[in-house]
Amino acid sequence: MSRLSEMVVALAEKLRYRWNLLVRYQDAPFGPELQEAWNHRYELFSRFDEGIQTDAIGLYSVTPEKTAKEIADRLKGLTVVDAFCGIGGNTIAFAAVCPKVYAVDLDKQRLSKARHNAGIYNRSNIEFIAGDFLQLASTLTADAVYLDPPWGGPSFRHKPAFYLNDFSQDGRQLLELSFRHFRLVVLRVPEQFVFDELNQFGRPYEVQDNLLHGRVISKTIYFV
Ligand SMILES: C[S@@+](CC[C@H](N)C(=O)[O-])C[C@H]1O[C@@H](n2cnc3c(N)ncnc32)[C@H](O)[C@@H]1O
């Protein structure tokens, strides 16, 4: 995308966000610290008002719809394990372009919200699996695995640098396990992630900047 079209997209996103804030403002149901995330709910799910379900963790950790689509477009046509599916932001986007998605989450209640949310988007090619991805990895067969492990709560923003061991699951162990079982491994990281750490794996990778409102909100690493 050219710089000019990026700027136009960013402006359109900002205007849509301001408009929603003006006409659809609501106090966040999970307290003032999640007001900002709640204000962005229509960017998280464009069909939010059709009955999207979330809890507090799901709300602040879900991948915005635009970003989820950008990531899914890179995995189009492949079978995918969404190893940390949360309330289903990525799962729903994968299911739109991938023949089969295995959506895994440790938290049964969050997984059931993901199932419900996928129903709102009429996605039926998803198998939801409750459990620990680290235990389940060897039992799953797919072309690709998408890793979006917790970043340690909203405080990750205050870290000047983010390392593999800052994920709530040790990132190094997670990657090694994933390299053993899947041909294509994809990892979503915060903007301040330290890429030098990836040299130890000796695997080539490409990085996608995920922009929202013209700002990088995350980076997605595709190990090829
Ligand atoms: C950052 S959120 C994922 C958000 C998701 N990509 C979305 O768009 O909604 C991380 C999720 O990982 C789950 N989780 C944490 N440890 C896990 C594990 N060992 N195996 C599977 N899921 C786990 C948490 O319950 C949480 O829902």
Side-chain angles (χ1 to χ4, degrees), residues 17 20-21 24-45 48 52 54-64 87 154 156-157 212-213 215:
Y17 169 70
N20 278 331
L21 203 53
R24 295 157 111 180
Y25 178 84
Q26 281 176 3
D27 285 336
F30 305 109
E33 64 281 8
L34 290 188
Q35 185 64 49
E36 163 106 26
W38 188 252
N39 292 345
H40 284 278
R41 64 195 180 281
Y42 298 108
E43 289 163 286
L44 305 180
F45 294 98
F48 196 91
I52 290 293
T54 186
D55 58 3
I57 291 177
L59 178 69
Y60 74 69
S61 60
V62 62
T63 305
I87 57 167
F156 79 87
R157 288 199 182 83
L212 200 62
H213 298 192
R215 198 175 65 79

Side-chain angles (χ1 to χ4, degrees), residues 9-211:
V9 170
L11 183 65
E13 284 168 354
K14 271 185 200 154
L15 289 174
R16 203 175 310 119
Y17 169 70
R18 291 271 159 80
W19 174 254
N20 278 331
L21 203 53
L22 202 66
V23 299
R24 295 157 111 180
Y25 178 84
Q26 281 176 3
D27 285 336
F30 305 109
E33 64 281 8
L34 290 188
Q35 185 64 49
E36 163 106 26
W38 188 252
N39 292 345
H40 284 278
R41 64 195 180 281
Y42 298 108
E43 289 163 286
L44 305 180
F45 294 98
S46 56
R47 300 173 80 164
F48 196 91
D49 283 350
E50 292 177 42
I52 290 293
Q53 294 181 353
T54 186
D55 58 3
I57 291 177
L59 178 69
Y60 74 69
S61 60
V62 62
T63 305
E65 197 166 283
K66 172 180 177 262
T67 306
K69 182 177 180 323
E70 272 165 23
I71 297 168
D73 283 345
R74 296 281 287 256
L75 302 187
K76 196 173 180 169
L78 303 178
T79 53
V80 179
V81 173
D82 184 357
F84 300 84
C85 80
I87 57 167
N90 290 103
T91 294
I92 290 168
F94 287 135
V97 295
C98 298
K100 180 83 188 182
V101 182
Y102 301 91
V104 178
D105 205 286
L106 197 55
D107 185 303
K108 283 191 181 145
Q109 289 182 348
R110 208 164 296 129
L111 190 77
S112 107
K113 292 183 188 351
R115 186 184 286 110
H116 169 89
N117 294 339
I120 289 178
Y121 283 79
N122 300 314
R123 308 280 190 255
S124 55
N125 51 338
I126 307 167
E127 187 174 329
F128 291 92
I129 303 167
D132 179 349
F133 171 69
L134 297 164
Q135 306 291 322
L136 290 169
S138 62
T139 68
L140 297 165
T141 305
D143 300 313
V145 65
Y146 171 70
L147 307 168
D148 188 10
W151 296 352
S155 64
F156 79 87
R157 288 199 182 83
H158 309 302
K159 291 189 167 131
F162 192 96
Y163 297 92
L164 282 172
N165 66 10
D166 286 323
F167 289 110
S168 68
Q169 304 291 326
D170 177 55
R172 182 179 169 182
Q173 190 196 355
L174 195 54
L175 282 173
E176 280 171 349
L177 176 74
S178 300
F179 291 143
R180 277 202 296 280
H181 295 291
F182 302 92
R183 180 166 62 81
L184 181 60
V185 176
V186 180
L187 174 68
R188 182 163 177 249
V189 298
E191 186 262 331
Q192 69 272 43
F193 181 72
V194 179
F195 282 84
D196 287 356
E197 280 200 290
L198 300 181
N199 296 341
Q200 64 185 299
F201 302 109
R203 304 268 301 220
Y205 60 84
E206 292 166 17
V207 180
Q208 176 187 52
D209 286 347
N210 305 127
L211 292 162

